[in-house]
């Protein structure tokens, strides 16, 4: 249903197409100028693989070093626990407002409604997130959440929500309006909530990369900073950033380097927030980690290159996926985070063309995981329907038996030709099949079986030649 609606929205499709074309072209240009790009990808994959194999060790190392530097680490089992911890921390800071940055993880746990329910007003400060919040919309892309909006639509939102009837529609006009709107919040609000791109175990530091500088304000101006991050965000060493900070910006926005790379460790007197909390959230990541085939999903560094490359995403945009994480990464991440209870159709939202795997900077084999998840969906759905499962399994066994023997295969072909006679029309097409097979012909016709096999035709041709 969501996909149908998105496909019917021509403006949205045009916006998504244009934006992804631009980002893809920029990425290709900055990736092609790197002679060691494949080696970098391999290094990125190895770092992420190693981290996931020793995740418990590195998380504890991060906790020890962050605490030593003056931060406070909280552990959240799931989204509910994370929301509860953050709301309590904001209340304890004495604020009834928060400024937010880098908030896909907070989208995942639906933090804003929980804050509002507790009487705390959140202000998104990332420009795209601000557009989404003011437009009462949902993000459609991991890196550019308002990618589905063009500047005419953004102008309308700003005019309405900021009460600026005379606002122009040049990018400069829109940026100026957002700057004035946000500057007052940066100076007034005393508590900040951020996500994180990376957590560095060796130092206990946190890294956020961004393009606008709003994140830098959000991370440095408040008295209290609360960072919420999935446990998969950890990196073992500071030096690992050398690889990640080359892979991420080139893959995400087609930039050689992010304009703002903020890395902070604990608290420092007279510099930045006086209280710093990190909420380390599981929310089913350990379940993903326990699955040897699905585990590579956790290697993701959220660059969205797979979204920009995906022929399905570029047609439908992110809302069609019905999940916070859209595109190919969403198709493998969301079902696993929800422990396969929801979003079961997502692993099928792919043509398995492999474009996502080719661009992924940490070489996640998304098609492989998609097939693995499709298997899981089938097993899960048939578990409660043993009868139906038996029919399908029985049919597969019979097919295997037929394909194993030439004699049986030929006999099956002869039988098939006899059985199809009553249902083939004059033009040689079958438009209806009985029973369970009827699903095939609901939306497609089958051609009748050829009168003779290729082998028979070949034998006859040889005999004629002699
Ligand atoms: S799966 Fe790979 S390409 Fe897609 S967002 Fe994650 S790191 Fe980027």
């Amino acid at each position: 249903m969501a996909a149908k609606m998105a496909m019917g929205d021509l403006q949205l499709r045009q916006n998504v197409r244009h934006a992804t074309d631009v980002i893809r072209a920029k990425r290709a240009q900055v990736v092609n100028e790197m002679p060691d790009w494949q080696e970098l990808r391999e290094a990125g994959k190895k770092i992420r693989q190693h981290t996931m194999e020793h995740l418990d060790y590195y998380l504890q190392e991060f906790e020890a070093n962050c605490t030593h530097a003056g931060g406070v680490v909280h552990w959240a089992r799931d989204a509910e626990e994370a929301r509860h911890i953050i709301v309590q921390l904001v209340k304890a800071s004495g604020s009834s407002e928060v400024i937010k940055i880098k908030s896909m993880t907070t989208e995942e746990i639906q933090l804003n409604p929980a804050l509002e329910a507790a009487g705390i007003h959140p202000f998104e400060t990332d420009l795209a997130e601000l557009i989404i919040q003011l437009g009462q919309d949902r993000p459609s892309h991991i890196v550019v959440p308002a990618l589905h909006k063009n500047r005419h639509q953004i102008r309308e939102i700003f005019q309405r929500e900021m009460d600026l009837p005379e606002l122009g529609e040049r990018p400069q006009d829109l940026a100026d309006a957002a700057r004035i709107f946000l500057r007052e919040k940066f100076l007034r609000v005393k508590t900040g909530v951020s996500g994180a791109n990376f957590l560095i175990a060796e130092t206990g530091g946190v890294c956020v990369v961004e393009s606008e500088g709003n994140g830098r304000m959000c991370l440095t101006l408040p008295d209290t900073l609360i960072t919420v991050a999935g446990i998969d965000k950890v990196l073992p060493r500071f030096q690992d950033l050398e690889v990640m900070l080359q892979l991420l910006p080139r893959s995400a926005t087609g930039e050689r380097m992010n304009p703002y790379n903020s890395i902070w460790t604990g608290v420092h007197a007279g510099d930045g927030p006086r209280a710093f909390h990190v909420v380390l959230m599981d929310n089913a990541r350990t379940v993903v980690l326990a699955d040897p085939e699905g585990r590579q999903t956790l290697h993701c560094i959220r660059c969205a290159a797979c979204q920009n490359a995906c022929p399905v995403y570029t047609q439908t945009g992110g809302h069609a996926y019905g999940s916070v994480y859209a595109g190919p990464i969403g198709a493998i991440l969301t079902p696993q985070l929800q422990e396969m209870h929801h979003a079961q159709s997502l692993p099928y939202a792919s043509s398995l063309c492999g474009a996502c795997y080719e661009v992924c900077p940490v070489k996640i084999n998304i098609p492989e995981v998609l097939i693995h998840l499709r298997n899981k969906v089938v097993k899960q759905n048939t578990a409660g329907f043993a009868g139906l499962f038996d029919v399908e399994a029985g049919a597969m066994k019979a097919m295997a038996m037929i394909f194993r023997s030439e004699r049986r295969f030929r006999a099956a072909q002869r039988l098939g030709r006899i059985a199809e006679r009553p249902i083939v029309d004059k033009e040689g097409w079958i438009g209806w099949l009985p029973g369970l097979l009827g699903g095939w012909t609901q939306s497609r016709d089958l051609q009748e079986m050829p009168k003779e096999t290729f082998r028979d035709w070949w034998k006859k041709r040889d005999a004629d030649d002699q």
Side-chain angles (χ1 to χ4, degrees):
M1 175 59 91
K4 231 179 217 171
M5 278 170 65
M7 295 299 286
D9 187 339
L10 291 182
Q11 183 65 62
L12 178 140
R13 289 177 64 190
Q14 206 176 320
N15 297 348
V16 171
R17 191 78 208 206
H18 173 70
T20 49
D21 280 354
V22 170
I23 304 174
R24 250 198 341 266
K26 281 174 73 184
R27 177 202 167 270
Q29 196 186 342
V30 295
V31 163
N32 289 340
E33 67 189 22
M34 298 282 284
D36 61 346
W37 182 250
Q38 294 309 328
E39 285 82 359
L40 263 176
R41 285 179 80 209
E42 192 57 33
K45 176 184 169 177
K46 292 236 163 78
I47 292 169
R48 297 302 287 148
Q49 219 165 22
H50 170 84
T51 311
M52 290 309 138
E53 281 162 10
H54 306 278
L55 189 58
D56 52 344
Y57 174 84
Y58 289 120
L59 284 170
Q60 286 177 47
E61 190 184 4
F62 172 81
E63 181 184 32
N65 289 328
C66 179
T67 308
H68 183 70
V72 183
V73 176
H74 308 258
W75 297 86
R77 197 173 297 125
D78 52 26
E80 196 183 333
E81 225 169 72
R83 286 192 297 263
H84 178 73
I85 293 169
I86 297 167
V87 168
Q88 294 311 313
L89 288 172
V90 177
K91 281 184 176 168
S93 74
S95 272
S96 59
E97 296 173 315
V98 294
I99 44 176
K100 288 179 68 206
I101 193 71
K102 274 277 156 192
S103 48
M104 281 313 275
T105 313
T106 64
E107 278 289 334
E108 179 188 328
I109 64 172
Q110 287 295 293
L111 181 64
N112 284 4
L115 288 171
E116 271 156 13
I120 300 161
H121 188 76
F123 294 105
E124 298 291 348
T125 65
D126 175 277
L127 181 55
E129 291 281 2
L130 176 68
I131 295 163
I132 295 293
Q133 186 180 33
L134 294 180
Q136 297 178 7
D137 202 347
R138 286 175 298 129
S140 67
H141 190 271
I142 297 173
V143 174
V144 195
L147 172 128
H148 56 290
K149 296 274 185 219
N150 63 26
R151 63 192 154 103
H152 312 296
Q153 294 168 310
I154 296 168
R155 174 175 169 249
E156 272 172 34
I157 294 171
F158 281 9
Q159 277 182 324
R160 190 180 63 234
E161 298 298 319
M162 295 177 186
D163 196 17
L164 298 170
E166 305 300 325
L167 182 65
E169 63 176 26
R170 294 175 310 148
Q172 184 67 45
D173 300 327
L174 303 175
D176 284 347
R179 181 177 295 124
I180 294 165
F181 180 80
L182 288 173
R183 191 58 57 104
E184 183 267 330
K185 275 65 183 176
F186 287 133
L187 294 173
R188 177 164 55 83
V189 180
K190 295 292 173 210
T191 303
V193 174
S194 86
N197 287 99
F198 303 107
L199 308 168
I200 304 139
E202 183 183 43
T203 61
V206 181
C207 173
V208 161
V209 301
E210 36 118 21
S211 303
E212 298 159 2
N214 291 346
R216 179 72 57 84
M217 305 252 220
C218 211
L219 301 168
T220 52
L221 291 176
D223 291 337
T224 302
L225 175 60
I226 304 161
T227 295
V228 53
I231 53 173
D232 51 320
K233 291 290 173 72
V234 72
L235 287 179
R237 294 156 305 173
F238 190 80
Q239 206 184 348
D240 296 328
L241 289 177
E242 177 193 341
V243 174
M244 295 305 168
L245 294 186
Q246 291 188 73
L247 289 173
L248 181 56
R250 285 172 197 263
S251 302
T253 45
E255 291 168 303
R256 295 186 183 94
M257 194 177 175
N258 282 104
Y260 293 88
N261 296 278
S262 302
I263 304 169
W264 70 100
T265 309
V267 288
H268 301 272
D271 182 12
R274 278 175 278 169
F276 171 52
H277 298 265
V278 184
V279 182
L280 293 178
M281 185 183 69
D282 178 354
N283 208 24
R285 283 159 177 78
T286 44
V287 177
V288 185
L289 191 68
D291 177 353
E293 288 166 86
R295 172 186 289 187
Q296 56 178 314
T297 310
L298 298 179
H299 299 179
C300 178
I301 56 171
R302 309 283 193 271
C303 71
C306 56
Q307 282 186 296
N308 304 328
C310 176
V312 176
Y313 178 87
T314 51
Q315 284 298 322
T316 64
H319 293 155
Y321 292 76
S323 80
V324 171
Y325 302 107
I329 181 60
I332 59 171
L333 184 62
T334 306
Q336 294 186 88
L337 290 184
Q338 299 179 354
E339 298 180 41
M340 303 301 292
H341 295 314
H342 304 286
Q344 291 201 344
S345 61
L346 284 182
Y348 295 89
S350 165
S351 63
L352 299 180
C353 69
C356 46
Y357 180 33
E358 270 173 37
V359 296
C360 178
V362 287
K363 294 176 98 171
I364 299 173
N365 192 335
I366 296 177
E368 188 179 274
V369 182
L370 284 167
I371 291 169
H372 168 61
L373 295 180
R374 288 180 186 186
N375 267 329
K376 276 180 120 175
V377 170
V378 171
K379 280 195 187 137
Q380 211 167 53
N381 288 348
T382 50
F385 301 96
L388 191 62
F389 184 56
D390 288 349
V391 172
E392 193 180 334
M396 288 298 162
K397 272 192 190 143
M399 292 294 280
M401 203 178 74
I402 290 167
F403 282 128
R404 268 202 300 270
S405 142
E406 188 188 339
R407 195 171 52 81
R408 283 196 288 264
F409 185 65
R410 283 179 175 278
Q413 282 177 323
R414 279 197 299 277
L415 265 177
R417 279 193 203 99
I418 296 167
E420 72 177 6
R421 259 181 229 153
I423 49 175
V424 174
D425 68 16
K426 283 194 198 109
E427 274 87 40
W429 289 95
I430 300 169
W432 170 88
L433 283 171
L436 282 177
L437 298 173
W440 257 96
T441 44
Q442 251 171 26
S443 54
R444 46 175 103 69
D445 290 343
L446 281 176
Q447 204 161 17
E448 68 173 327
M449 291 173 71
K451 298 287 179 252
E452 63 181 349
T453 66
F454 177 72
R455 272 171 197 264
D456 292 339
W457 173 82
W458 192 262
K459 262 192 210 155
K460 218 190 292 167
R461 199 197 70 142
D462 275 355
D464 288 349
D465 284 351
Q466 279 163 13

